[in-house]
Amino acid sequence: MILRLVLGDQLNEKHSWFQKVDSNVLYLFQEVRSETDYVVHHIQKVVGIFLGMRHLAQHLKEKGHRVEYLKITDSNQQSTFVSNIEKIVKEYSIHQIEYQEPDEFRVDEDLKSLKSLGLEVKMVSAEHFLTNRSDLKEMFVGKKTYLMESFYRKMRVKWNVLVDENGQPLEGKWNFDHDNRKKWDPKRAVPPPFEFAHDARSLLEELELAKVKTMGQINPSCSVWPINRTEALQVFHYFLEWLLPLFGDFQDSMVQNERFLFHSRISFALNVKMLHPLEVIQAVERAYQEGVVKINQAEGFIRQILGWREFVRGIYWAEMPQYAKLNHFNHKNPLPDFFWTGKTDLNCLSQSIGQSLDHAYAHHIQRLMIIGNYALISGIDPDEVDRWYLGVYIDAFEWVELPNTRGMSQFADGGKLATKPYASSANYIQKMSNYCQHCKYNPKEKLGPNACPFNQKYWDFIGRNADAFRKNPRMSMMVKLWEKQNQNNLSS
Ligand code: FAD
Ligand code: DLZ
Ligand code: SF4
C-alpha cells in the first residue's frame, strides 16, 4: 500500500493525485502539535487550516478515496509528522511513501528523514508554483542582491502575461506603479467583506481540550476566510467584481477602522493552494482584455503574484537555512507587550496591530510601514519580529513570511532583497493614512510630550547607522538631513 501525505498548506483538490481513485493508496492528514506549537498562531489561522483539512479529507472520502485523519485530540496521536507516519506505516503495511514538495525548510528536512524507514520515499510536485525552488538562485548566480523587477519581466515573458507576440509589455511599460496609489477619498464607500457561515464551535472545544496556545480573536460562526476551493473562488470573484477596479488606486492607503479596503484577501487561499496563482493571474488579465479594468490596475495586481510572491519564495530556497538567523543591525530589543494586545496610544499601531489580532490580517503597507517600520526603527530583535508575524497572519507560512519580514521589512539580510531599509518618520504615515487625525501625538513634532514617537525613533535609527547609510545612495540624503538637524540643535 502507498501512503500519501497531505499537509495543512496542501489543500489542493485539483492535484493530479486525487484525479484517480485507487484502493491501494491511503491519504494521511495530521493535526499535530509540532505544527500548532512551532510559534503561537492566531486562532483563526489554526481553525482555518484545520477546517480546510477536515473539509478536503471529507471531500476525498466522498469521492471514494481512502483517508486516515488524525485529529489533534486523538489518543493515538504521536505529535509530529514523522512519528505518526512511522506508526501508520506499521499499521497498514505500507511499502511506499509519497509527499508533495513541502514549502517549509523545517518540514522538508524532517520528511527527508523518512528515508531511514527503509521504504521507497518519493517527493512529487505540489503543482502550484510558477517557478522551481532553485530558479531564482540560478537566475542571480554570482550576484550579491536579487532584483525583483528583472525577475518579474522574465516571468511575464515565460508565462505570456500582458505581453505582445514579441515579448514586449502591453501598452509600452512593464510597471504602472506611478499611475496607482491615489490619495484616499473619505467619501468613498468600501464594499463589505465577503463572509462565510462556518461552525467552528466543536473544533474550538477540541483545541481547548488539547490546550493549544493561540492568540487573537475569533467569531465561531462566521469568517472572512474560505475553507475550501468553492469558497476561495467566491472570495476571488467578489474581488474581481467589486474590488479590483480600485485595487491599485488605494493599494497603499490606510484608513481608520477600515480593515480590508480594496485588497483581495486571497493570500490564505493561495498559500494553502485552494487557488492556483495562474488561474488568478489569467482571470485578472482577462478583466483587462475585456475592458473591465485598466492596465494599471491589472498589472499592479498581477505583479504581486507573478512577481513578488514567486520572488520571495525563490529567495527563501536560495538563502535558507542561514537566512533565518541574519541580524544585520544586531538588533536585540524585545517586542513590546502591546504587540499581543494592540493597546497603545500610537494610533497607527493600535489600528494595525488591533486588526491583526481581530482578523489575522493587515494589508501590505500596514505590515511594512507601520508595524515593521516601528520594529525596525526601535531596534527589535528580528527573531521576535519573525515569530510574531509567522503567528499572527492567516497567510503566514515561513517561505513567504521570512523574506518579507526579516528581509524586506527588517533589512536583517543587509540588503539582499531590498535596496534600502523601509524606515520612515511620521511624515509617510500622515501622507498615506488618516491615522494621525485620530492620534494623541502630533506627527509634525519631533521633540516634547506630544511629539510622535516615530520621529524620534526614525532619526535615532538614521543617526546610529549614519556611517553605513552615507554609502547608500538611497539613504545618504537622510544622513545629510540628520547632520543638519544636529548642527541646528547645537547652534540653538
Ligand atoms: P493583496 O494586496 O490583494 O495582493 C494580492 C496577492 O499578492 C496576495 O494575496 C499575495 O498572494 C500576493 N502578494 C502581495 N505582496 C506580496 C509579497 N510581498 N510577498 C508575497 N506575496 C505577495 N504575504 C503572505 O502571503 N504571507 C505572509 O506571511 C506575509 N508576510 C508579510 C510580512 C511583511 C512584513 C510584509 C511587508 C508583507 C507580507 N506579506 C505576506 C505580503 C502581503 O502583505 C500579503 O500577501 C497581503 O497583505 C495579503 O493580503 P491580500 O491577499 O489581500 O493581498
Ligand atoms: C500552520 C499549520 C498548523 C497550525 N497546523 C498544522 C497541522 O496540524 N497539520 C499540518 O499538516 N499542517 C499544519 N500547519 C501548516 C504546516 O505548518 C505546513 O503544512 C508545513 O509547514 C509545510 O509547509
Ligand atoms: Fe502614528 Fe505618530 Fe501618526 Fe500617531 S502621530 S498615528 S503615532 S504616525
Side-chain angles (χ1 to χ4, degrees):
M1 192 161 200
I2 297 175
L3 181 68
R4 286 179 173 169
L5 314 180
V6 185
L7 304 182
D9 60 354
Q10 297 179 336
L11 307 180
N12 174 12
E13 65 177 52
K14 293 182 80 93
H15 193 278
S16 56
W17 266 2
F18 309 130
Q19 304 319 311
K20 197 174 122 234
V21 173
D22 182 343
S23 59
N24 282 320
V25 173
L26 178 70
Y27 291 100
L28 175 64
F29 291 74
Q30 315 176 47
E31 296 173 358
V32 280
R33 295 310 294 246
S34 58
E35 299 308 298
T36 57
D37 296 0
Y38 64 80
V39 284
V40 178
H41 296 282
H42 197 292
I43 183 67
Q44 292 187 39
K45 181 178 174 191
V46 180
V47 165
I49 290 171
F50 283 14
L51 288 183
M53 288 169 65
R54 291 178 184 196
H55 185 279
L56 181 61
Q58 184 59 28
H59 172 79
L60 294 179
K61 273 189 205 162
E62 281 163 15
K63 292 203 135 200
H65 295 283
R66 291 183 70 173
V67 175
E68 175 76 38
Y69 194 99
L70 295 177
K71 282 190 172 184
I72 196 80
T73 43
D74 282 349
S75 51
N76 55 350
Q77 259 290 354
Q78 302 297 302
S79 78
T80 67
F81 286 144
V82 172
S83 53
N84 277 328
I85 293 164
E86 282 171 5
K87 192 157 175 277
I88 297 275
V89 159
K90 285 190 199 127
E91 273 172 29
Y92 285 86
S93 55
I94 300 290
H95 74 274
Q96 182 170 330
I97 302 174
E98 296 180 3
Y99 61 91
Q100 297 174 27
E101 197 175 46
D103 285 344
E104 274 192 30
F105 188 85
R106 174 182 58 86
V107 177
D108 198 48
E109 292 295 304
D110 273 359
L111 296 186
K112 278 181 194 161
S113 75
L114 290 173
K115 290 237 156 65
S116 67
L117 295 180
L119 314 172
E120 193 167 338
V121 180
K122 219 164 102 185
M123 182 171 86
V124 304
S125 166
E127 300 172 6
H128 179 80
F129 289 101
L130 304 175
T131 41
N132 294 318
R133 281 181 181 174
S134 60
D135 283 359
L136 186 101
K137 189 173 183 168
E138 284 157 22
M139 205 180 277
F140 289 90
V141 70
K143 304 256 172 28
K144 274 203 195 130
T145 53
Y146 302 96
L147 205 59
M148 203 307 271
E149 192 61 29
S150 56
F151 167 79
Y152 168 58
R153 289 181 190 187
K154 288 200 171 84
M155 292 294 280
R156 288 268 293 275
V157 176
K158 175 179 172 190
W159 291 98
N160 194 23
V161 176
L162 297 179
V163 289
D164 64 20
E165 58 286 359
N166 301 316
Q168 291 307 305
L170 294 188
E171 304 204 19
K173 274 200 301 187
W174 292 101
N175 184 316
F176 287 81
D177 238 7
H178 279 302
D179 303 340
N180 287 339
R181 306 189 166 143
K182 298 208 168 74
K183 201 166 168 48
W184 177 249
D185 168 6
K187 283 190 242 80
R188 187 169 285 285
V190 181
F194 198 96
E195 290 179 331
F196 302 100
H198 292 156
D199 189 354
R201 281 169 303 181
S202 57
L203 172 55
L204 288 170
E205 278 168 21
E206 288 165 42
L207 291 171
E208 206 170 306
L209 200 66
K211 296 194 171 62
V212 173
K213 195 170 169 217
T214 59
M215 66 161 123
Q217 308 299 322
I218 189 164
N219 177 339
S221 51
C222 174
S223 169
V224 296
W225 305 115
I227 54 166
N228 56 47
R229 179 166 164 80
T230 308
E231 292 184 354
L233 285 169
Q234 283 173 318
V235 174
F236 179 56
H237 289 142
Y238 183 81
F239 167 72
L240 280 181
E241 188 171 355
W242 297 103
L243 309 171
L244 177 62
L246 289 169
F247 172 82
D249 285 358
F250 301 116
Q251 198 175 340
D252 287 4
S253 299
M254 294 173 285
V255 183
Q256 183 82 6
N257 295 332
E258 283 292 352
R259 278 113 176 108
F260 305 117
L261 290 165
F262 296 92
H263 292 273
S264 65
R265 270 161 280 146
I266 60 165
S267 50
F268 173 66
L270 276 171
N271 295 351
V272 299
K273 306 179 183 65
M274 290 170 190
L275 293 178
H276 193 278
L278 204 56
E279 72 181 321
V280 169
I281 290 165
Q282 288 174 343
V284 172
E285 188 182 26
R286 253 192 326 274
Y288 159 70
Q289 282 158 351
E290 288 162 3
V292 180
V293 292
K294 296 216 173 77
I295 187 122
N296 59 314
Q297 308 290 356
E299 189 280 319
F301 184 77
I302 286 172
R303 185 173 355 106
Q304 308 307 317
I305 296 176
L306 186 59
W308 282 108
R309 187 168 185 267
E310 297 287 331
F311 180 68
V312 297
R313 176 172 178 266
I315 290 178
Y316 181 76
W317 286 107
E319 297 289 334
M320 280 299 279
Q322 62 280 3
Y323 203 80
K325 298 196 179 73
L326 298 179
N327 188 352
H328 176 72
F329 295 118
N330 200 21
H331 283 166
K332 291 277 178 234
N333 288 333
L335 202 67
D337 286 347
F338 63 71
F339 272 70
W340 305 99
T341 62
K343 290 196 173 74
T344 163
D345 286 339
L346 285 82
N347 183 48
C348 52
L349 279 169
S350 142
Q351 284 279 308
S352 305
I353 294 175
Q355 75 161 72
S356 303
L357 295 171
D358 287 348
H359 301 284
Y361 181 88
H363 72 65
H364 187 80
I365 295 300
Q366 293 171 307
R367 295 186 203 195
L368 187 65
M369 296 311 295
I370 306 285
I371 308 172
N373 178 19
Y374 182 85
L376 171 66
I377 60 183
S378 308
I380 295 172
D381 186 336
D383 284 353
E384 295 209 12
V385 183
D386 258 332
R387 273 199 292 273
W388 186 82
Y389 273 89
L390 189 54
V392 76
Y393 294 115
I394 185 104
D395 53 32
F397 298 90
E398 196 186 63
W399 65 271
V400 52
E401 176 279 330
L402 191 69
N404 270 302
T405 305
R406 196 169 280 255
M408 189 185 317
S409 159
Q410 300 304 295
F411 205 76
D413 64 0
K416 282 177 194 285
L417 191 151
T419 48
K420 78 174 190 61
Y422 282 94
S424 89
S425 63
N427 204 12
Y428 175 89
I429 299 171
Q430 193 188 17
K431 203 169 84 197
M432 295 313 298
S433 78
N434 64 1
Y435 291 152
C436 302
Q437 294 165 25
H438 303 267
C439 187
K440 80 171 219 186
Y441 294 109
N442 184 339
K444 298 269 181 233
E445 286 183 24
K446 295 194 185 92
L447 294 168
N450 294 328
C452 168
F454 273 86
N455 292 336
Q456 180 269 325
K457 283 177 185 291
Y458 175 73
W459 290 111
D460 183 59
F461 173 70
I462 299 292
R464 56 182 200 264
N465 295 293
D467 288 344
F469 290 166
R470 226 174 256 119
K471 294 179 215 136
N472 180 336
R474 299 195 64 200
M475 294 301 285
S476 54
M477 176 72 147
M478 299 322 286
V479 179
K480 283 198 189 110
L481 276 175
W482 173 77
E483 282 165 345
K484 209 164 133 199
Q485 283 176 36
N486 277 353
Q487 296 249 298
N488 290 348
N489 286 346
L490 284 175
S491 53
S492 62

